[in-house]
Amino acid sequence: MLRNQQWSKVKKRLDSFKCDSLKERLQFTVTYYRRAHDQLGRAFITVDKKEVINMCTITSEAALNRRTYEIKREKHIPYTDWSQESVIWDEAHEWVLDEGIFAQYDFFDAVEEYFLLPIEESLKSNNMLFKIFALVDRRVGKRALEKMKQSILCEKEIVQFFYTLRCKAEGIRLHG
């Protein structure tokens, strides 16, 4: 599991996949909060030293708790009824991920799985982090990016941001 490996080793491997045109502009960073009860923190991606995606465990956990409460309320399940907790948590977690709210552990899980997936699967995945990693991956060429011009319009804004970033860095015209 990547969370147990040194971040520097994971980062080095992740950076090795970055395309040349973004190597110096895009950074993956992980911060741990030692005083936090679980010592987790956040992961974030910066472009040109500006944070573009923040994967904070505290923010994600708060959203998960809110969504879990909403699901219980919608389904008329007493808040103290723990019998369906794992099913409800899974549903809430899927919703939170779909909203683009990630925890640090979601980042690590995505990186771990990304390392194992063929690049084509990452590009087609419903997981936004897989798509983001793939869009900045050196294994994705200009032809593959060109083919995505129409389908990318159906993606979440953050995925479109990384697509546009990569296309501009590669000199690919986005319109016309």
Side-chain angles (χ1 to χ4, degrees):
M1 185 177 278
L2 291 180
R3 283 182 256 180
N4 297 331
Q5 291 181 30
Q6 271 191 323
W7 165 239
S8 59
K9 289 179 183 174
V10 175
K11 182 179 179 3
K12 192 174 195 173
R13 185 159 179 217
L14 194 55
D15 285 345
S16 75
F17 284 104
K18 281 194 294 192
C19 63
D20 288 341
S21 61
L22 294 174
K23 256 204 193 329
E24 302 303 316
R25 298 180 59 199
L26 181 119
Q27 297 298 320
F28 300 102
T29 307
V30 169
T31 302
Y32 294 95
Y33 299 120
R34 289 192 183 107
R35 293 181 192 261
H37 73 283
D38 53 12
Q39 294 200 344
L40 286 176
R42 68 187 188 109
F44 53 100
I45 302 173
T46 57
V47 175
D48 299 327
K49 296 186 168 64
K50 291 184 189 113
E51 193 174 296
V52 292
I53 186 167
N54 175 17
M55 295 159 276
C56 178
T57 303
I58 294 169
T59 304
S60 174
E61 295 289 329
L64 264 169
N65 288 335
R66 268 192 313 279
R67 186 63 190 141
T68 300
Y69 177 76
E70 289 168 4
I71 292 168
K72 282 186 171 190
R73 193 179 64 227
E74 289 164 8
K75 295 182 178 183
H76 306 289
I77 299 169
Y79 193 71
T80 54
D81 180 355
W82 301 101
S83 63
Q84 300 175 51
E85 198 63 26
S86 68
V87 173
I88 293 169
W89 189 91
D90 288 344
E91 185 180 330
H93 191 234
E94 282 302 312
W95 182 87
V96 168
L97 293 177
D98 193 50
E99 290 297 307
I101 304 168
F102 302 101
Q104 184 188 55
Y105 55 82
D106 294 320
F107 172 75
F108 281 123
D109 290 347
V111 169
E112 182 175 20
E113 197 168 336
Y114 181 75
F115 287 159
L116 303 173
L117 281 177
I119 193 72
E120 300 79 25
E121 278 187 46
S122 295
L123 283 171
K124 293 176 185 170
S125 173
N126 291 330
N127 185 311
M128 276 187 268
L129 291 177
F130 292 171
K131 279 197 176 139
I132 289 167
F133 298 152
L135 286 169
V136 299
D137 194 308
R138 61 182 161 71
R139 297 172 293 170
V140 174
K142 290 182 182 183
R143 249 181 294 173
L145 291 167
E146 291 270 1
K147 286 181 187 175
M148 296 174 68
K149 276 186 181 178
Q150 289 305 310
S151 65
I152 205 72
L153 300 173
C154 300
E155 297 290 343
K156 299 277 187 183
E157 195 175 314
I158 191 69
V159 174
Q160 290 182 28
F161 169 84
F162 280 96
Y163 175 78
T164 301
L165 174 74
R166 175 71 186 274
C167 286
K168 285 182 178 178
E170 298 289 348
I172 297 171
R173 290 183 51 203
L174 294 169
H175 307 287

